[in-house]
Amino acid sequence: MAMSVPERNSGSEEKEEESEDESEIVEESPCGRWQKRKEQLSQGNVSGVERASLAMDTEEGVEVVWNEVLFQDKKDFKTVEDKMKEMFENLMQVDHPNIVKFHKYWLDIGDNHARVVFITEYMSSGSLKQFLKKTKKNHKTMNVKAWKRWCTQILSALSYLHSCDPPIIHGNLTCDTIFIQHNGLIKIGSVWHRLFVNVFPEGGVQGKLHPHRDDKRNLHFFSPEYGSCEDDYAIDIFSFGICALEMAVLEIQANGDSVVSKEAITNAGQSLEDPLMREFTQMCVRHNPRLRPTAHDLLFHRVLFEVHSLKLLAAHCLINNQYMLPENCVEEKTKSFDPNGVMAEIIHKDHPRVQLKYSHVSPLELDKFLEDVKNGIYPLMNFASTRPQHVPRALSMSQEHVETVKTPTPEPQEAETRKVVQMHCNLESNEDTTKTHLTLFLKLDDKLHRQLSCDIMPNDSSRDLVNELIHHSFISEVRLKATLIHSTYCKFPIFTMFIISKHISIISCM
């Protein structure tokens, strides 16, 4: 009798099985949109978070991070429940291309547990610290242009946070909580660090509220006054200065010590060859917090400030007014140009004029540049207003929580601040010509679509329709800014389309 010996799985087969095991769905959000997987993640030290897992957004088809804050006692949970709701709702209003997006949250209370689950953007390319280590390992130096571009993006995010009303202080800015994507886009994470520390009760959650205190390698990122006085923008500026210094020198040497000393920081700053870079970093790490500049002021420092090119200004103008333009308008426009046509001409008195032709511009390079501007790689901060940006209070609980908690009175609808990036309007006349059917098609900035339709009577005006949309909560009256374009009267007695500004707020349809 021959005995069969089972074949052993190869290394690749074992890895495939391990990968399949990690991708197994272990939990779903109450609404079914977010699916938690087994795979655990490390997205920087986040206060109070016991564990973070990879998850899937089933609507967008992208990976996200599933974060959990576990409470020791339900009494502690109930004590801060209202504060938590307000904090999380405000975090969902934070919207900046250089800040990791906070998507959704919900509260989960059971017989034996109480927790908060919140979903954040997944940064798959790794942290800035990992990138700097790889660069140093390959014996390369930091490109000055890249350094300036990264500093500008980080300061753009900090300026946004500090100008919110009330201001948001990061409080945990290190090279571990700054992430870099493959296209050079910088995003800062853990913007909720100080909010969590101030709201969650000490000892009331299972996760550590001060994880940075356990990592001695990162202690040099925190200002001398950190934790001993009221939160202020100056603590973020000090942390940014250390980050800027590490980006320039790749790593501040601890000289065998477990903690980076003040002397090591001073030596790293003095090693910078560019005097402007040296001055820039030294301003940020001044011992007296009152002498440190603001993020907005740093954007105008000589080492970073430059007069923006007309190309960049035009790109921002195009992106900001994209809702007024048809889809693929840039691609269609470039196809119609004559390659030999003169786009611009520079006339000189003492030598021949210079002509710039359309053939000098590559449509592919133009598309990539516009995409980079849209993603936030080239922020236009030198023209930004210093006016505080109000973070609106939430109008309702998150949708997941609404679905899990039954109350005797109906909950208000959840407000959204999605922008309309494109809109089409169509009017069709009925056979009896007594009324007209209006269809509005809206494309939102999160790639979702909204279609609204209604019948219009001959005595209806465009203003009547706007008021009706407001009355039925399809749009927000506070943020509506519409221009009504009237149709050619030979076809329709009212208007053909709305042009609704980028500030329109669309309310979820029931």
Side-chain angles (χ1 to χ4, degrees):
M1 177 183 289
M3 182 179 291
S4 61
V5 179
E7 293 183 1
R8 294 181 120 186
N9 289 334
S10 65
S12 60
E13 289 175 343
E14 288 178 358
K15 287 182 179 179
E16 285 180 10
E17 288 180 3
E18 185 178 337
S19 177
E20 288 178 4
D21 186 54
E22 287 184 341
S23 63
E24 179 187 347
I25 297 172
V26 295
E27 189 178 352
E28 281 190 351
S29 64
C31 68
R33 176 175 178 177
W34 320 97
Q35 295 180 338
K36 175 185 172 183
R37 294 178 179 173
K38 261 189 176 181
E39 186 176 350
Q40 299 289 302
L41 294 174
S42 175
Q43 291 276 291
N45 293 329
V46 182
S47 297
V49 174
E50 176 69 13
R51 53 175 172 261
S53 307
L54 194 65
M56 176 62 71
D57 179 354
T58 58
E59 284 189 14
E60 292 296 324
V62 297
E63 292 177 321
V64 292
V65 182
W66 176 300
N67 304 272
E68 296 183 28
V69 178
L70 307 178
F71 280 76
Q72 303 278 16
D73 195 324
K74 284 199 287 186
K75 290 181 181 179
D76 292 329
F77 181 90
K78 288 293 183 182
T79 303
V80 296
E81 185 173 359
D82 291 338
K83 286 185 178 179
M84 283 194 303
K85 289 177 184 177
E86 182 180 343
M87 173 187 69
F88 280 115
E89 293 291 355
N90 281 339
L91 283 171
M92 288 174 61
Q93 308 300 327
V94 173
D95 185 18
H96 190 279
N98 300 115
I99 296 176
V100 172
K101 181 66 178 172
F102 190 103
H103 289 297
K104 190 66 78 172
Y105 83 97
W106 63 93
L107 311 180
D108 180 22
I109 309 172
D111 294 334
N112 300 315
H113 71 275
R115 64 173 181 165
V116 182
V117 180
F118 61 97
I119 306 296
T120 56
E121 185 179 2
Y122 176 47
M123 306 304 296
S124 58
S125 298
S127 68
L128 180 61
K129 176 170 278 189
Q130 292 170 333
F131 179 86
L132 296 177
K133 279 187 176 181
K134 289 178 183 177
T135 305
K136 185 178 180 181
K137 188 177 180 180
N138 294 329
H139 305 288
K140 294 182 179 180
T141 57
M142 176 55 61
N143 181 280
V144 176
K145 286 186 177 180
W147 180 86
K148 291 181 179 181
R149 192 160 59 244
W150 291 355
C151 285
T152 302
Q153 292 181 60
I154 298 170
L155 286 172
S156 172
L158 288 179
S159 180
Y160 170 86
L161 292 173
H162 295 169
S163 64
C164 287
D165 183 19
I168 297 177
I169 307 301
H170 191 289
N172 190 26
L173 190 67
T174 70
C175 290
D176 281 322
T177 57
I178 299 174
F179 302 95
I180 179 169
Q181 294 185 324
H182 63 279
N183 59 356
L185 178 65
I186 289 284
K187 290 204 175 196
I188 64 175
S190 191
V191 297
W192 40 83
H193 170 79
R194 291 305 295 171
L195 295 174
F196 281 15
V197 170
N198 294 334
V199 171
F200 293 150
E202 188 74 41
V205 296
Q206 293 185 22
K208 296 177 181 178
L209 283 178
H210 305 280
H212 58 277
R213 292 179 181 173
D214 297 333
D215 191 354
K216 293 183 178 180
R217 297 171 302 171
N218 285 342
L219 286 179
H220 61 293
F221 285 97
F222 300 95
S223 62
E225 76 278 7
Y226 186 86
S228 61
C229 60
E230 193 173 335
D231 288 348
D232 185 69
Y233 74 88
I235 66 173
D236 285 345
I237 298 302
F238 184 94
S239 299
F240 164 75
I242 300 297
C243 291
L245 192 55
E246 288 221 345
M247 287 191 296
V249 300
L250 300 182
E251 184 183 14
I252 300 176
Q253 297 290 340
N255 298 325
D257 299 327
S258 58
V259 180
V260 176
S261 64
K262 293 180 182 179
E263 183 183 358
I265 295 173
T266 302
N267 293 338
Q270 294 297 329
S271 69
L272 297 176
E273 296 181 1
D274 189 333
L276 290 179
M277 289 176 65
R278 191 161 58 243
E279 177 190 88
F280 180 81
T281 55
Q282 287 175 351
M283 289 172 63
C284 298
V285 297
R286 286 170 177 162
H287 188 272
N288 188 345
R290 294 182 180 180
L291 299 179
R292 295 173 205 150
T294 65
H296 185 266
D297 291 340
L298 286 169
L299 285 164
F300 286 87
H301 189 276
R302 290 176 296 172
V303 76
L304 295 183
F305 180 79
E306 59 183 23
V307 177
H308 292 308
S309 66
L310 184 60
K311 177 182 177 182
L312 183 58
L313 293 174
H316 274 275
C317 183
L318 182 67
I319 296 300
N320 292 338
N321 295 280
Q322 196 173 14
Y323 63 95
M324 297 178 62
L325 303 171
E327 198 169 5
N328 300 326
C329 68
V330 176
E331 182 182 352
E332 295 299 324
K333 197 68 177 176
T334 52
K335 287 180 181 178
S336 64
F337 287 146
D338 177 11
N340 295 319
V342 177
M343 180 171 52
E345 191 173 28
I346 305 173
I347 300 175
H348 299 282
K349 291 182 180 180
D350 51 349
H351 53 86
R353 62 184 61 187
V354 178
Q355 290 186 339
L356 301 176
K357 298 184 178 180
Y358 288 108
S359 58
H360 297 161
V361 180
S362 168
L364 292 177
E365 289 181 4
L366 182 60
D367 285 340
K368 183 182 182 303
F369 179 69
L370 287 172
E371 190 66 25
D372 288 345
V373 171
K374 186 177 180 181
N375 288 336
I377 295 179
Y378 303 104
L380 199 63
M381 286 303 298
N382 297 342
F383 292 85
S385 169
T386 57
R387 183 177 67 252
Q389 304 185 39
H390 179 63
V391 179
R393 290 182 180 273
L395 298 183
S396 71
M397 291 186 293
S398 64
Q399 187 63 32
E400 283 85 349
H401 188 54
V402 170
E403 293 172 2
T404 56
V405 179
K406 294 182 180 180
T407 57
T409 56
E411 293 288 345
Q413 290 176 317
E414 182 182 3
E416 296 183 84
T417 56
R418 294 180 289 180
K419 298 174 184 176
V420 175
V421 296
Q422 189 178 354
M423 190 193 69
H424 297 289
C425 181
N426 185 47
L427 283 170
E428 293 182 2
S429 181
N430 291 351
E431 294 180 0
D432 56 6
T433 67
T434 58
K435 57 184 178 180
T436 306
H437 190 72
L438 168 70
T439 303
L440 270 175
F441 178 81
L442 307 175
K443 183 178 179 181
L444 308 178
D445 62 358
D446 60 356
K447 301 179 183 178
L448 296 180
H449 298 166
R450 169 79 34 82
Q451 182 169 313
L452 307 173
S453 61
C454 68
D455 289 328
I456 302 172
M457 304 304 293
N459 58 344
D460 287 334
S461 70
S462 55
R463 179 51 59 189
D464 291 335
L465 293 173
V466 171
N467 291 334
E468 191 172 339
L469 286 170
I470 293 171
H471 175 72
H472 291 291
S473 298
F474 287 115
I475 57 179
S476 171
E477 183 177 15
V478 177
R479 301 188 66 177
L480 178 66
K481 182 181 175 186
T483 302
L484 306 178
I485 304 282
H486 290 269
S487 134
T488 52
Y489 291 100
C490 60
K491 292 182 68 177
F492 302 109
I494 45 181
F495 66 101
T496 53
M497 67 182 296
F498 292 109
I499 294 183
I500 302 177
S501 82
K502 61 178 178 176
H503 297 297
I504 190 170
S505 293
I506 302 301
I507 305 299
S508 298
C509 292
M510 297 300 291

